[in-house]
Amino acid sequence: MTDDPLAAPDPSISDYEVGQDNVQKFGLDFHNPVFGISAAVVIVFVAATLLMPGLSEEFFGWLRPALTAQFDWFFMLAANVFVLFCLFLIVSPFGKIRLGGKLATPEYSYVSWLSMLFAAGMGIGLMFYGVSEPMSHYASSMADIAGSPESWAPLAGAPGDAEAARRLGMAATIFHWGLHPWAIYAIVGLALAFFSYNWGLPLTIRSAFYPILGDRVWGWPGHVVDTLAVFATLFGLATSLGFGAEQAIAGLNYLFGLPDTALSRVVLIAVITGVALLSVVAGLDAGVRRLSELNMGLAFLLLAFVFLVGPTMTILSGIFHNTVAYLADIVPLSNPFGRSDDNFRTGWTTFYWAWWMSWSPFVGMFIARVSRGRTIREFLTCVLIVPTLVSIVWMSVFGETAIFETIAGFTGVADADLPLQLFVMLGQLPLSAITSVIGIVLVIVFFVTSSDSGSLVIDTITAGGKTDSPVPQRVFWAVFEGLVAIALLLGGGLASLQAAAIATGFPFAFLLLALCLGTLMGLRRELKSPFLETAQT
């Protein structure tokens, strides 16, 4: 087969078979050498971090500011490219291409599909930051030092102006949870689904580079791509698991007096990893789908409750005004040059973009696995627009309620630690004991769905694209996701988790830019090929 797949008569006909480089021994079925390299590095990392926590904390403490201060412009420009690329595909003729061919039909209903992609994409983060981020941006924008080099306010803030600070804070929050992160997820999910379902290539990251590399993608260039994807997924997921553990323990301490210690967090991660193992063993339909639907139902109930018993009219007004503020500020917030809000840009935006990029193999592949049968226009519109609208509503309901309580004179939310702010805000509303328990359950179940879906994704990559690998392999990755989160928490806490996400997101950003090129090349070939329109149906 030629190294130039675009010159081949039919790129879906390949002499490469899914799993042909796999090793079948001891009841396992894993890709050689991706599984071996990934597993060995992860085991060594966990052991070294646990054995040398002081050195690990020092290293990760240096790593995060070193990357964010030097490469903030690169992360921001790359994220802008991904948004523009997705919007271009939605309105272009490529949008009519169906993932899986003309006759392919969706495997899941809209409710199940959207529940799974949203639970995997941002569940824990929305629970952790739904109150704390709007409050942080509001407070820093209101402060007298807003606009100074020491300030963390976005776009120089609005010192002394409560309403302007509120809108700026909400716009900055939605910016971090809106179009940009979902564009990052969308391009990975689209590329994986397209090359797997339309070209018949393995469901791994390397397949998206086939138009660029040709058959070389099955060699070491492809091994490197997939191994980087495993590391990015593992450390990006560990960051989210660490946030979830911090918030769950904070809530349990607030409600029931459970000690908020490092040991408590370790035990919680171990217990929830054990629960996730049960879901992993059950599989995608029986485990992940049901848990995702359960969590989305609980999340909707909590959202509706806060909306109805909180400052309803303020929230309604806020949803509209926050959307307008987001659209008005998205360009200045996206601009990486000539700004004075260095702390906000590097400490918030750059971290987020690196985190989303490190998560993109995980969320993108998971979305790809459940999106067969959708057109590209339908896929991108739903993955890009619908979660953005949900994020606007979620952040407005929880953020506006917390800011309303603060303006009314209650300082408890502002004074509380970040993981605790959700529960302190709920404490000012009726039935706070019940809603706080629901909040903890949501964090834990989001924790589980992230862990089990992440395990399925990593296992697919390290099994050479096979989606039905032996259960012990899935168990192995689920266990080590928990161990990585524990190691990073003990080796420096949240700062180490954030540094690890940035460190893996940085090299993967380059791969994502190349992935856009490979996807565009593949889509151009698709429109010209009558065979491919019905292939893989």
Side-chain angles (χ1 to χ4, degrees):
M1 188 172 179
T2 178
D3 279 342
D4 181 8
L6 299 184
D10 182 4
S12 72
I13 298 176
S14 172
D15 54 4
Y16 187 88
E17 296 182 5
V18 176
Q20 74 173 42
D21 293 326
N22 284 17
V23 175
Q24 290 89 21
K25 286 186 178 180
F26 311 111
L28 303 179
D29 187 357
F30 54 86
H31 186 277
N32 179 39
V34 174
F35 181 92
I37 295 174
S38 302
V41 172
V42 168
I43 291 172
V44 170
F45 171 83
V46 170
T49 304
L50 291 176
L51 291 173
M52 298 178 288
L55 184 61
S56 299
E57 182 174 3
E58 181 181 349
F59 171 73
F60 287 118
W62 163 83
L63 182 62
R64 175 181 171 172
L67 285 174
T68 55
Q70 296 297 321
F71 298 102
D72 58 302
W73 60 272
F74 172 70
F75 282 112
M76 296 185 72
L77 285 179
N80 293 340
V81 169
F82 303 144
V83 173
L84 295 174
F85 184 61
C86 287
L87 295 177
F88 161 73
L89 291 180
I90 289 175
V91 300
S92 73
F94 301 126
K96 67 182 181 182
I97 296 173
R98 186 172 296 275
L99 299 174
K102 275 187 174 181
L103 303 181
T105 57
E107 298 177 70
Y108 301 97
S109 68
Y110 269 110
V111 173
S112 294
W113 182 46
L114 293 174
S115 294
M116 284 191 286
L117 72 89
F118 200 78
M122 290 186 172
I124 291 177
L126 287 176
M127 294 298 298
F128 190 91
Y129 285 109
V131 170
S132 62
E133 185 169 356
M135 280 297 303
S136 296
H137 297 329
Y138 166 75
S140 61
S141 297
M142 272 284 290
D144 293 336
I145 65 168
S148 69
E150 296 78 23
S151 171
W152 283 78
L155 301 177
D161 188 336
E163 184 59 23
R166 180 205 298 255
R167 295 295 159 237
L168 182 57
M170 291 304 306
T173 300
I174 295 168
F175 172 64
H176 291 148
W177 298 86
L179 294 174
H180 283 75
W182 285 99
I184 296 169
Y185 296 159
I187 62 165
V188 178
L190 172 63
L192 291 171
F194 171 71
F195 286 108
S196 177
Y197 302 143
N198 294 66
W199 283 34
L201 301 180
L203 190 62
T204 60
I205 304 296
R206 72 172 75 201
S207 294
F209 295 87
Y210 188 74
I212 300 174
L213 296 173
D215 278 350
R216 291 185 296 274
V217 80
W218 312 126
W220 275 104
H223 300 336
V224 171
V225 168
D226 278 350
T227 302
L228 283 175
V230 170
F231 294 152
T233 302
L234 199 63
F235 289 104
L237 185 59
T239 302
S240 295
L241 300 186
F243 283 138
E246 290 275 338
Q247 188 170 35
I249 288 295
L252 291 170
N253 174 264
Y254 181 71
L255 292 175
F256 307 114
L258 184 74
D260 187 355
T261 63
L263 178 61
S264 299
R265 299 186 190 98
V266 170
V267 171
L268 181 66
I269 292 176
V271 170
I272 296 178
T273 299
V275 176
L277 286 175
L278 299 177
S279 179
V280 165
V281 172
L284 183 64
D285 288 331
V288 178
R289 179 177 62 83
R290 291 176 181 174
L291 281 175
S292 297
E293 291 175 352
L294 167 66
N295 231 28
M296 293 309 295
L298 286 175
F300 176 78
L301 288 176
L302 183 62
L303 182 76
F305 176 83
V306 175
F307 173 77
L308 292 173
V309 305
T312 304
M313 296 309 298
T314 299
I315 293 171
L316 276 175
S317 173
I319 291 174
F320 172 76
H321 288 102
N322 296 339
T323 304
V324 173
Y326 168 53
L327 295 176
D329 290 336
I330 189 171
V331 173
L333 287 169
S334 302
N335 174 33
F337 304 115
R339 291 170 56 176
S340 59
D341 53 349
D342 289 349
N343 285 336
F344 171 81
R345 192 179 70 255
T346 60
W348 281 98
T349 303
T350 305
F351 161 66
Y352 270 131
W353 288 181
W355 188 16
W356 303 144
M357 290 174 193
S358 69
W359 254 53
S360 64
F362 153 49
V363 181
M365 185 175 293
F366 186 76
I367 293 173
R369 286 190 62 176
V370 299
S371 298
R372 185 188 180 102
R374 310 286 178 182
T375 66
I376 287 179
R377 185 169 293 116
E378 178 187 17
F379 174 92
L380 289 176
T381 300
C382 288
V383 175
L384 196 65
I385 306 300
V386 174
T388 296
L389 295 177
V390 174
S391 295
I392 291 173
V393 173
W394 183 278
M395 291 299 183
S396 295
V397 169
F398 287 89
E400 290 285 356
T401 300
I403 294 172
F404 178 86
E405 292 177 355
T406 302
I407 293 176
F410 177 67
T411 62
V413 178
D415 295 338
D417 293 335
L418 291 186
L420 196 58
Q421 289 184 340
L422 169 65
F423 304 104
V424 175
M425 183 274 286
L426 292 174
Q428 297 301 299
L429 302 176
L431 304 176
S432 61
I434 296 175
T435 55
S436 294
V437 170
I438 291 175
I440 293 173
V441 171
L442 276 169
V443 171
I444 291 174
V445 181
F446 272 132
F447 196 144
V448 173
T449 54
S450 295
S451 179
D452 57 17
S453 52
S455 301
L456 292 172
V457 166
I458 294 174
D459 183 54
T460 299
I461 298 174
T462 56
K466 286 190 173 183
T467 58
D468 57 349
S469 59
V471 170
Q473 291 176 210
R474 291 181 251 161
V475 170
F476 172 84
W477 289 113
V479 169
F480 269 89
E481 284 168 16
L483 289 176
V484 168
I486 289 172
L488 288 169
L489 276 175
L490 296 179
L494 291 181
S496 294
L497 291 164
Q498 293 170 340
I502 293 172
T504 52
F506 178 65
F508 209 77
F510 291 94
L511 293 181
L512 292 179
L513 291 170
L515 181 145
C516 290
L517 175 60
T519 301
L520 184 61
M521 293 169 66
L523 293 176
R524 289 180 60 191
R525 177 65 179 88
E526 180 86 355
L527 285 182
K528 297 177 182 178
S529 172
F531 177 85
L532 285 175
E533 290 183 354
T534 57
Q536 307 302 317
T537 57

